[in-house]
Amino acid sequence: MNGPVPRPGVLAIEPYQGGKSKDTSYVGKMSSNEAALGPSPKALEAYAKAAAVTHRYPDGGAHLLREAIARRHDVEIDRIVCGCGSDELLQLLCRGYAGPGDEVVYSEHGFLIYPIAATACGATPVAAKDDGYTVSVDSMLKCIGDRTKIVFIANPNNPTGTYIPRAELERLHAGLPPHVVLVIDAAYAEFVTDPDYDSGQELASWAPNVVMTRTFSKIYGLAALRVGWAYGAPAIIDVLNRLRGPFNVPTPAQAAAVAALEDREFFDKALAHNTRWRDWLFQRLGGLGLHVVPSAGNFLLIDFGSAAGAHAADEYLRDKGWYLRRMDSYGFKDHLRLTVGTENENRGVTDVLAAFMETARV
Ligand SMILES: Cc1ncc(COP(=O)(O)O)c(C=O)c1O
């Protein structure tokens, strides 16, 4: 071969397959853990207003946004960095701390970006066995060795929806050597209502090797604008600031995110909607004879009992315009993941699933 050759390992990466998004002919798109109620109208207003200054570069330091985050979460602004989605920050953490010969530990059924990001920078991803559907702190700690540079944990985890409580998170951190960066990916933190949950903010406020990542793509409904942030040890934030693009978050995205943070009324409505309909879906799907994993996020993992069952359900739903997420790439061939939708979507998709279960029984 004469053409350019990428670095070793790059072609070993399985490109990330997102939930269906190009096709807009669906009846219900419940495949990407997007916000059921969309964004706050105030965020859209701010976005439109900021469009008038598209000829100017954005504020590379995202000061107003970091100020708004610091106010809302009661954290120090200097410990925050914003990213082009939290995805950018997860990738940069790998670039900053891991390379060839290093290991990056993540949980067996954890978010797929972790092994992709690790492989992309030449490091070796190491999957720690889960305990059923839940992250096992013991098995994660068993995977730690001299070569470990980063441990990723999504809490709550995507695609299982389960979380480990504050005490377990602290036990994980306490078991790590100080040279290992603990990345607590709290993309779904806003949806959790359980009192024993901690987003990782507490550890990230003092531990020199902890960083928490957050996103505006989920409860705030700004997935298309790509805004995320990280909070943690100043030395880690410094590394991210050195590696990130100088203008990584566009002005309208920053403005929309500030307005979304300040619209508490809309936030409360989105949270109440998710809690109500997540419970409703859990009950309704259970009533259809399906096993559903209890979830703290805005989605549910549904077990169809076999890969053939899950694929048949997916085909049946797709045929009628309903998109769920296949889980083969996460090692859950028997499952589909369903994002909480609007009331109409939740009722509609479960009616179609009820009809599918009838055909499966015949
Ligand atoms: C666990 C987890 N972390 C991070 C992300 C990425 O979010 P963002 O849109 O901020 O890049 C997702 C998106 O689905 C996710 O599920």
Side-chain angles (χ1 to χ4, degrees), residues 85-87 90 111 114 154 158 185 187-188 215 217-218 226-227:
S86 53
D87 185 46
L90 298 170
F111 188 41
Y114 313 144
N158 172 19
D185 175 349
Y188 300 95
T215 183
S217 302
K218 304 301 172 185
R226 316 301 307 125
V227 193

Side-chain angles (χ1 to χ4, degrees), residues 136-257:
S136 160
V137 168
D138 289 326
S139 78
M140 281 198 128
L141 289 176
K142 272 194 206 125
C143 291
I144 308 301
D146 292 344
R147 287 158 32 138
T148 311
K149 291 290 159 57
I150 304 179
V151 171
F152 279 110
I153 177 169
N155 206 37
N157 185 46
N158 172 19
T160 55
T162 59
Y163 73 95
I164 60 167
R166 178 187 301 115
E168 278 294 273
L169 203 56
E170 284 169 359
R171 191 164 74 83
L172 173 62
H173 175 252
L176 297 178
H179 74 271
V180 173
V181 178
L182 174 60
V183 182
I184 304 167
D185 175 349
Y188 300 95
E190 288 86 354
F191 296 111
V192 189
T193 49
D194 309 70
D196 63 352
Y197 173 76
D198 185 85
S199 60
Q201 182 173 318
E202 207 280 315
L203 277 174
S205 72
W206 63 269
N209 62 337
V210 176
V211 62
M212 166 187 74
T213 58
R214 303 287 287 258
T215 183
F216 283 88
S217 302
K218 304 301 172 185
I219 203 161
Y220 292 108
L222 300 178
L225 300 188
R226 316 301 307 125
V227 193
W229 53 283
Y231 165 73
I236 301 177
I237 299 303
D238 177 52
V239 165
L240 291 171
N241 269 318
R242 288 169 197 264
L243 290 174
R244 71 179 172 84
F247 304 109
N248 57 343
V249 187
T251 308
Q254 293 185 31

Side-chain angles (χ1 to χ4, degrees), residues 29-212:
K29 178 175 177 293
M30 306 171 89
S31 54
S32 300
N33 297 349
E34 293 155 343
L37 304 186
S40 145
K42 291 184 178 152
L44 289 184
E45 231 172 81
Y47 177 82
K49 209 162 146 205
V53 287
T54 34
H55 58 301
R56 304 276 182 220
Y57 280 101
D59 168 12
H63 281 96
L64 292 178
L65 176 54
R66 288 192 300 125
E67 254 171 39
I69 293 169
R71 254 196 320 274
R72 172 75 199 260
H73 291 271
D74 195 19
V75 294
E76 281 167 62
I77 187 169
D78 293 342
R79 299 175 76 102
I80 301 171
V81 59
C82 293
C84 179
S86 53
D87 185 46
E88 181 195 23
L89 301 167
L90 298 170
Q91 308 268 359
L92 293 181
L93 283 161
C94 276
R95 257 177 66 197
Y97 290 95
D102 297 332
E103 292 181 349
V104 171
V105 174
Y106 67 106
S107 66
E108 186 187 2
H109 299 297
F111 188 41
L112 275 182
I113 290 297
Y114 313 144
I116 290 178
T119 311
C121 64
T124 306
V126 176
K129 274 250 163 265
D130 280 342
D131 181 7
Y133 289 105
T134 309
V135 166
S136 160
V137 168
D138 289 326
S139 78
M140 281 198 128
L141 289 176
K142 272 194 206 125
C143 291
I144 308 301
D146 292 344
R147 287 158 32 138
T148 311
K149 291 290 159 57
I150 304 179
V151 171
F152 279 110
I153 177 169
N155 206 37
N157 185 46
N158 172 19
T160 55
T162 59
Y163 73 95
I164 60 167
R166 178 187 301 115
E168 278 294 273
L169 203 56
E170 284 169 359
R171 191 164 74 83
L172 173 62
H173 175 252
L176 297 178
H179 74 271
V180 173
V181 178
L182 174 60
V183 182
I184 304 167
D185 175 349
Y188 300 95
E190 288 86 354
F191 296 111
V192 189
T193 49
D194 309 70
D196 63 352
Y197 173 76
D198 185 85
S199 60
Q201 182 173 318
E202 207 280 315
L203 277 174
S205 72
W206 63 269
N209 62 337
V210 176
V211 62
M212 166 187 74

